[in-house]
Amino acid sequence: MRHRLGLLPFIVLIISLFSPALGFDSSEIIDHRQKEMKIAQTLTRDVNLKLLVNDFTGAVTSAQKIVNWSRNLRRLFPEGSEASVQNLSSASSDIWENPKAFQKAIDASEKIATELFNALLDGQLENAKAKGSRLPLTCSACHQRFRN
Protein backbone atom coordinates (compact mmCIF):
# COMPACT_ATOMS: atom_id res chain seq x y z
CA MET A 1 0.00 0.00 0.00
CA ARG A 2 2.84 2.38 0.86
CA HIS A 3 4.43 1.78 -2.55
CA ARG A 4 1.20 2.67 -4.39
CA LEU A 5 0.69 5.89 -2.43
CA GLY A 6 4.28 6.88 -3.17
CA LEU A 7 3.42 7.01 -6.87
CA LEU A 8 0.48 9.36 -6.34
CA PRO A 9 2.46 12.65 -6.56
CA PHE A 10 4.18 11.41 -9.71
CA ILE A 11 0.87 10.44 -11.32
CA VAL A 12 -0.69 13.81 -10.44
CA LEU A 13 2.30 15.61 -11.94
CA ILE A 14 2.13 13.65 -15.20
CA ILE A 15 -1.62 14.23 -15.53
CA SER A 16 -1.27 17.96 -14.86
CA LEU A 17 1.50 18.32 -17.44
CA PHE A 18 -0.33 16.58 -20.25
CA SER A 19 -3.93 17.59 -19.60
CA PRO A 20 -4.20 21.22 -18.56
CA ALA A 21 -7.98 21.04 -18.24
CA LEU A 22 -9.75 17.75 -18.73
CA GLY A 23 -7.66 16.81 -21.74
CA PHE A 24 -8.32 19.96 -23.77
CA ASP A 25 -5.60 22.18 -25.08
CA SER A 26 -5.79 25.91 -24.40
CA SER A 27 -7.23 26.80 -27.82
CA GLU A 28 -10.10 24.32 -27.30
CA ILE A 29 -10.73 25.75 -23.84
CA ILE A 30 -10.80 29.30 -25.17
CA ASP A 31 -13.07 28.36 -28.06
CA HIS A 32 -15.44 26.60 -25.67
CA ARG A 33 -15.41 29.59 -23.29
CA GLN A 34 -16.20 32.02 -26.11
CA LYS A 35 -19.13 29.86 -27.22
CA GLU A 36 -20.39 29.67 -23.65
CA MET A 37 -20.22 33.45 -23.31
CA LYS A 38 -22.34 33.80 -26.44
CA ILE A 39 -24.85 31.35 -24.98
CA ALA A 40 -25.08 33.46 -21.82
CA GLN A 41 -25.57 36.60 -23.87
CA THR A 42 -28.35 34.94 -25.87
CA LEU A 43 -30.05 33.64 -22.72
CA THR A 44 -29.88 37.07 -21.08
CA ARG A 45 -31.45 38.73 -24.11
CA ASP A 46 -33.99 35.94 -24.38
CA VAL A 47 -35.20 36.20 -20.79
CA ASN A 48 -35.58 39.98 -21.07
CA LEU A 49 -37.49 39.71 -24.36
CA LYS A 50 -39.80 37.09 -22.86
CA LEU A 51 -40.43 39.34 -19.88
CA LEU A 52 -41.41 42.16 -22.24
CA VAL A 53 -44.10 40.05 -23.85
CA ASN A 54 -45.19 38.42 -20.56
CA ASP A 55 -44.04 34.95 -21.61
CA PHE A 56 -43.52 33.73 -18.04
CA THR A 57 -42.97 30.10 -18.93
CA GLY A 58 -40.27 30.95 -21.44
CA ALA A 59 -38.70 33.47 -19.05
CA VAL A 60 -38.54 30.90 -16.25
CA THR A 61 -36.90 28.37 -18.57
CA SER A 62 -34.29 30.86 -19.76
CA ALA A 63 -33.68 32.15 -16.23
CA GLN A 64 -33.08 28.61 -14.95
CA LYS A 65 -30.56 28.07 -17.74
CA ILE A 66 -28.80 31.32 -16.78
CA VAL A 67 -28.60 30.22 -13.14
CA ASN A 68 -27.12 26.86 -14.15
CA TRP A 69 -24.71 28.57 -16.53
CA SER A 70 -23.52 31.01 -13.87
CA ARG A 71 -22.89 28.18 -11.41
CA ASN A 72 -20.43 26.67 -13.87
CA LEU A 73 -18.75 29.91 -14.91
CA ARG A 74 -15.54 29.43 -12.91
CA ARG A 75 -14.84 26.17 -14.73
CA LEU A 76 -14.51 28.06 -18.00
CA PHE A 77 -11.28 29.65 -16.77
CA PRO A 78 -8.73 26.95 -16.03
CA GLU A 79 -5.14 27.92 -15.36
CA GLY A 80 -3.25 28.62 -18.58
CA SER A 81 -6.19 29.90 -20.62
CA GLU A 82 -5.46 33.59 -20.18
CA ALA A 83 -4.71 35.90 -23.08
CA SER A 84 -1.34 35.52 -24.76
CA VAL A 85 0.24 36.18 -28.13
CA GLN A 86 -0.40 32.53 -29.04
CA ASN A 87 -4.16 32.46 -28.55
CA LEU A 88 -7.33 34.43 -29.19
CA SER A 89 -8.30 34.74 -25.52
CA SER A 90 -9.17 38.13 -24.10
CA ALA A 91 -9.21 36.84 -20.52
CA SER A 92 -7.14 39.06 -18.26
CA SER A 93 -4.42 37.49 -16.14
CA ASP A 94 -6.12 39.26 -13.21
CA ILE A 95 -8.57 36.32 -13.16
CA TRP A 96 -5.79 34.08 -11.86
CA GLU A 97 -3.77 36.74 -10.04
CA ASN A 98 -6.80 37.99 -8.08
CA PRO A 99 -9.10 34.95 -7.80
CA LYS A 100 -11.09 36.36 -4.86
CA ALA A 101 -12.14 39.41 -6.88
CA PHE A 102 -13.00 37.20 -9.84
CA GLN A 103 -15.05 34.90 -7.63
CA LYS A 104 -16.84 37.94 -6.19
CA ALA A 105 -17.81 39.00 -9.73
CA ILE A 106 -19.03 35.48 -10.51
CA ASP A 107 -21.01 35.43 -7.26
CA ALA A 108 -22.67 38.74 -8.19
CA SER A 109 -23.81 37.31 -11.53
CA GLU A 110 -25.07 34.11 -9.94
CA LYS A 111 -26.89 36.09 -7.23
CA ILE A 112 -28.75 38.33 -9.68
CA ALA A 113 -29.59 35.34 -11.92
CA THR A 114 -30.97 33.45 -8.91
CA GLU A 115 -32.94 36.48 -7.76
CA LEU A 116 -34.40 36.81 -11.25
CA PHE A 117 -35.38 33.15 -11.30
CA ASN A 118 -36.93 33.33 -7.82
CA ALA A 119 -38.88 36.48 -8.69
CA LEU A 120 -40.31 34.68 -11.71
CA LEU A 121 -41.24 31.65 -9.63
CA ASP A 122 -42.97 33.93 -7.11
CA GLY A 123 -44.89 35.70 -9.88
CA GLN A 124 -43.22 39.05 -9.16
CA LEU A 125 -43.20 40.42 -12.69
CA GLU A 126 -41.91 43.92 -11.93
CA ASN A 127 -39.17 42.57 -9.66
CA ALA A 128 -38.21 40.02 -12.32
CA LYS A 129 -38.02 42.76 -14.96
CA ALA A 130 -35.79 44.84 -12.67
CA LYS A 131 -33.49 41.87 -12.02
CA GLY A 132 -33.48 41.01 -15.72
CA SER A 133 -32.35 44.52 -16.61
CA ARG A 134 -29.54 44.32 -14.02
CA LEU A 135 -28.21 40.98 -15.24
CA PRO A 136 -26.38 42.35 -18.32
CA LEU A 137 -24.79 44.98 -16.07
CA THR A 138 -23.14 42.31 -13.93
CA CYS A 139 -21.78 40.72 -17.10
CA SER A 140 -20.45 44.07 -18.33
CA ALA A 141 -18.84 44.87 -14.98
CA CYS A 142 -17.00 41.55 -14.99
CA HIS A 143 -15.86 42.03 -18.58
CA GLN A 144 -14.58 45.53 -17.81
CA ARG A 145 -12.53 44.23 -14.92
CA PHE A 146 -11.37 40.84 -16.18
CA ARG A 147 -11.17 41.15 -19.95
CA ASN A 148 -8.36 42.66 -21.99
Side-chain angles (χ1 to χ4, degrees):
M1 181 70 161
R2 183 181 237 178
H3 176 69
R4 289 184 206 163
L5 290 177
L7 290 175
L8 187 59
F10 176 72
I11 293 168
V12 170
L13 175 66
I14 296 300
I15 290 171
S16 67
L17 288 175
F18 293 105
S19 60
L22 303 175
F24 295 104
D25 68 25
S26 63
S27 65
E28 290 172 317
I29 292 166
I30 294 161
D31 185 51
H32 175 70
R33 179 169 61 224
Q34 290 170 343
K35 288 176 183 172
E36 286 292 322
M37 292 296 175
K38 288 178 183 175
I39 289 170
Q41 184 179 32
T42 299
L43 287 170
T44 301
R45 287 181 182 154
D46 188 57
V47 74
N48 282 307
L49 288 173
K50 287 178 176 166
L51 284 169
L52 282 174
V53 297
N54 296 327
D55 177 2
F56 302 114
T57 304
V60 167
T61 300
S62 293
Q64 178 64 62
K65 289 177 182 178
I66 292 168
V67 170
N68 292 338
W69 184 91
S70 66
R71 289 181 179 157
N72 293 305
L73 183 56
R74 185 67 182 103
R75 294 180 190 157
L76 296 176
F77 295 89
E79 192 80 36
S81 66
E82 64 271 13
S84 71
V85 294
Q86 292 91 8
N87 65 40
L88 297 176
S89 175
S90 57
S92 169
S93 61
D94 200 32
I95 291 169
W96 297 272
E97 293 169 4
N98 196 349
K100 287 182 182 179
F102 186 56
Q103 188 60 51
K104 186 177 177 181
I106 289 172
D107 292 345
S109 290
E110 184 178 344
K111 181 178 184 257
I112 197 75
T114 301
E115 289 174 356
L116 166 63
F117 179 69
N118 289 336
L120 285 165
L121 288 181
D122 293 342
Q124 301 172 356
L125 178 61
E126 292 308 312
N127 188 20
K129 287 181 178 180
K131 300 296 181 186
S133 67
R134 285 185 49 210
L135 187 59
L137 300 176
T138 63
C139 298
S140 296
C142 189
H143 284 184
Q144 287 176 350
R145 169 89 193 266
F146 296 103
R147 193 172 183 203
N148 293 329

